Amino acid sequence: MHDLRQAQRGLPQGAHQHQAPHDQRDQGAELRRIVSAAGEETDRADAPLDERDGIALLDAVLHEQPDAPDRHGPVALAVSGGPDSTALLYFADRWSRLRQRPLLVLTVDHGLRPEATAEAAEVARRAAELGHSHRILAWNGRKPRAGLQAAAREARLALLTDACHGAGAATLLLAHHRDDQAETVLHRIDRDTGPEGLAGMAPVTWRGGIRLARPFLALPKERLVATCRVAGLAYAEDPSNADPRFTRADLRRLRPALDAVGLTADRLARLAEAMGCARRAMDREVRGWLVRHAVIHPCGTCRLDRAALDAAPPDFTAAILRAVLRIAGAAGYPPGTAAMAGLMDWLADGAAARRRTLRGCLLQIDGDTLTVMREEVACAPPLCIPGGQTACWDGRFLIRNKTAAPINVGPCGAEGWRRIKRLGLDARLPDAARALPHPARLAWPIVTDLDGVVALPHLVLGERRAPDSHQFGVVIHLLATRERRIDGPMANGRLKT
């Protein structure tokens, strides 16, 4: 516990925000350019993709940053054994040999079909034959009757990102293609997710501190199937893709009718690409607004200048609120149009002090300040992290356990806060942290060892501000600041803390 006790230094004071250096290339346009160039060499829509173009697509989403901590670590890829992920393994194998990077092949067995176990074993055999590491990840426990596919998707991503953290892989390759993108746009229109939903999936995004890369997003599925056929690669077919119980299967059956009226997969994918450009432009404007009018604390609580928020155009205000809800609450998808309209009406109500909840967050108005914080009841259960390991907790925090012993990380809660006060640890917190509303403290991550000894971790808003020294036994990064290209807390003096 020596290293852990040394971590009891509290939260750092805020510093002025600056944007981290990130590659700003439009990866969607780059993928489409490569696919278009490859298509010029053939007049067949179902022509296989050659090795050169497959590697170029991987390069487009796997460009290395000079300061990336995993430049020499493995690149993970999710392979189910279907045609899309089988083609991904085929090209990733060639890319890894050319770029001299190891691969980690991951297969999730959802336990929903008896054939899945044999399919996962076949992927393991193929990965071993190619000389790559492989892991089978099982989704255990009870499965919901309603919303099964959504629950399976969430469980799959959680298993995959946890495995990446355990292996030191910061990037996970996914085999989503143009047809998947078109279905995603239609599905989000059906769910009324608003303008952000029309952008569909991004070629590169983040989940739980892991970079998700989709090199095939501009490529028709037929070309991946043709690649498998020409290369002699056997693959499995998942019957759930045609199961009428699931929404996406309904969308696939509608494809001929949609094509007939001009709503082709290509046009829907182009719409997603255009809306993705608009989303990135809006994100830049939102980041600029947050610099001027917000304070983001390392625990994820956000405080906004209410007057500046009221002065913004309604659509821009909605974009700011969606961004803040993701920072404070790690919401995977933005609230729908109806939910956002209700939130905007609540803000316009004019009361001086009031509260409401949305998407796992508590929003509180105190005079000229809007505070957005995580709800304790929405937090993930406590997580045990072995010594020397890294994990994501509650979708909000990346935790690096630099000690040799396992630790537990979970929500502080009322009992945790009482223990902190009894131990006098609250006195070590900066004034800004002590001034936050009490509900915000209840959702803070709190660290204990296996004997129950409490420590306040060293919280930072980005890896660039994390100390390399082992004097801090546990370091917790607020993930949303990296995923939204915000590095460092914002403290501009506009809000009194």
Side-chain angles (χ1 to χ4, degrees):
M1 278 301 296
H2 176 69
D3 287 340
L4 187 55
R5 289 194 178 96
Q6 285 187 320
Q8 298 177 347
R9 296 172 178 260
L11 290 80
Q13 294 282 2
H16 287 289
Q17 185 263 5
H18 65 278
Q19 289 189 17
H22 282 262
D23 191 321
Q24 297 292 333
R25 288 187 303 171
D26 183 346
Q27 285 138 335
E30 177 72 3
L31 296 180
R32 180 172 290 279
R33 183 195 64 76
I34 295 168
V35 171
S36 297
E40 291 173 358
E41 300 173 6
T42 176
D43 58 359
R44 292 173 49 203
D46 61 347
L49 191 68
D50 67 28
E51 182 175 320
R52 178 195 60 191
D53 295 320
I55 289 174
L57 290 173
L58 286 161
D59 277 337
V61 296
L62 288 173
H63 55 277
E64 307 293 333
Q65 296 181 19
D67 58 349
D70 71 323
R71 289 185 68 201
H72 305 291
V75 171
L77 60 159
V79 181
S80 66
D84 315 329
S85 60
T86 296
L88 177 63
L89 176 58
Y90 174 78
F91 288 116
D93 169 67
R94 281 145 180 79
W95 178 89
S96 72
R97 298 178 194 282
L98 182 66
R99 304 297 181 225
Q100 297 185 329
R101 288 287 300 276
L103 296 181
L104 171 63
V105 184
L106 301 172
T107 304
V108 176
D109 183 353
H110 298 85
L112 299 175
R113 297 183 296 112
E115 307 89 352
T117 300
E119 291 167 5
E122 174 58 23
V123 175
R125 184 199 65 77
R126 186 173 301 163
E129 190 176 75
L130 294 171
H132 303 301
S133 300
H134 180 269
R135 283 190 60 194
I136 296 175
L137 312 172
W139 182 27
N140 298 315
R142 296 180 63 181
K143 312 297 191 294
R145 292 185 178 180
L148 179 60
Q149 281 207 323
R153 180 172 59 253
E154 288 301 307
R156 177 168 61 251
L157 282 172
L159 288 167
L160 290 168
T161 53
D162 285 349
C164 287
H165 283 305
T171 298
L172 173 67
L173 291 169
L174 301 172
H176 295 121
H177 45 72
R178 188 191 67 181
D179 300 50
D180 292 324
Q181 180 74 300
E183 288 172 8
T184 296
V185 172
L186 290 172
H187 187 52
R188 292 185 180 178
I189 291 172
D190 182 58
R191 291 179 58 194
D192 192 24
T193 57
E196 281 197 69
L198 293 178
M201 296 178 285
V204 174
T205 187
W206 296 87
R207 169 70 182 243
I210 300 300
R211 188 172 177 268
L212 308 183
R214 300 178 174 95
F216 296 154
L217 206 53
L219 197 68
K221 178 183 179 71
E222 291 91 336
R223 299 199 65 180
L224 298 175
V225 174
T227 298
C228 292
R229 184 183 65 250
V230 170
L233 304 173
Y235 56 83
E237 293 282 6
D238 185 350
S240 67
N241 288 333
D243 192 324
R245 295 177 298 166
F246 303 131
T247 302
R248 286 185 179 264
D250 284 337
L251 294 175
R252 291 182 188 113
R253 283 194 297 274
L254 288 173
R255 178 64 57 76
L258 293 171
D259 288 349
V261 296
L263 285 177
T264 62
D266 183 64
R267 286 186 175 178
L268 289 167
R270 287 179 182 272
L271 170 63
E273 185 180 325
M275 292 304 296
C277 291
R279 179 169 61 185
R280 288 190 296 276
M282 181 66 82
D283 282 347
R284 287 192 293 271
E285 295 300 316
V286 167
R287 289 196 298 273
W289 190 95
L290 292 174
V291 170
R292 297 186 297 274
H293 304 296
V295 175
I296 299 177
H297 294 270
C299 61
T301 297
C302 303
R303 306 187 73 199
L304 312 182
D305 186 326
R306 190 178 170 197
L309 195 64
D310 291 344
D315 288 344
F316 187 54
T317 299
I320 293 166
L321 293 172
R322 283 192 294 265
V324 170
L325 287 169
R326 279 200 294 267
I327 292 171
Y333 296 102
T337 303
M340 286 306 302
L343 180 58
M344 299 285 284
D345 289 343
W346 175 78
L347 284 172
D349 185 35
R354 59 191 189 278
R355 291 178 177 177
R356 67 157 294 168
T357 60
L358 180 65
R359 300 300 290 266
C361 288
L362 174 65
L363 296 91
Q364 176 174 311
I365 289 178
D366 296 300
D368 61 356
T369 301
L370 170 65
T371 303
V372 184
M373 63 202 99
R374 182 67 157 159
E375 274 192 288
E376 180 198 356
V377 295
C379 289
L383 175 69
C384 182
I385 305 175
Q389 294 292 308
T390 297
C392 175
W393 176 72
D394 196 39
R396 296 184 293 151
F397 297 105
L398 187 66
I399 302 112
R400 299 195 187 281
N401 178 9
K402 297 183 177 182
T403 73
I407 59 169
N408 288 316
V409 178
C412 177
E415 175 58 30
W417 182 247
R418 283 193 291 268
R419 294 177 69 190
I420 285 172
K421 294 195 73 174
R422 283 199 304 268
L423 293 168
L425 297 179
D426 58 319
R428 305 187 184 189
L429 294 171
D431 292 342
R434 285 200 298 270
L436 290 175
H438 182 65
R441 302 170 188 154
L442 303 184
W444 283 354
I446 190 172
V447 175
T448 60
D449 70 357
L450 296 186
D451 295 323
V453 177
V454 177
L456 288 180
H458 185 79
L459 269 71
V460 293
L461 271 94
E463 289 177 282
R464 298 174 193 280
R465 295 188 178 274
D468 293 328
S469 169
H470 279 261
Q471 75 179 92
F472 297 105
V474 180
V475 175
I476 298 186
H477 309 148
L478 182 63
L479 285 172
T481 55
R482 179 175 69 175
E483 295 170 9
R484 299 194 68 77
R485 294 176 181 160
I486 301 168
D487 183 40
M490 302 175 202
N492 50 46
R494 288 180 176 270
L495 299 178
K496 300 297 185 183
T497 58

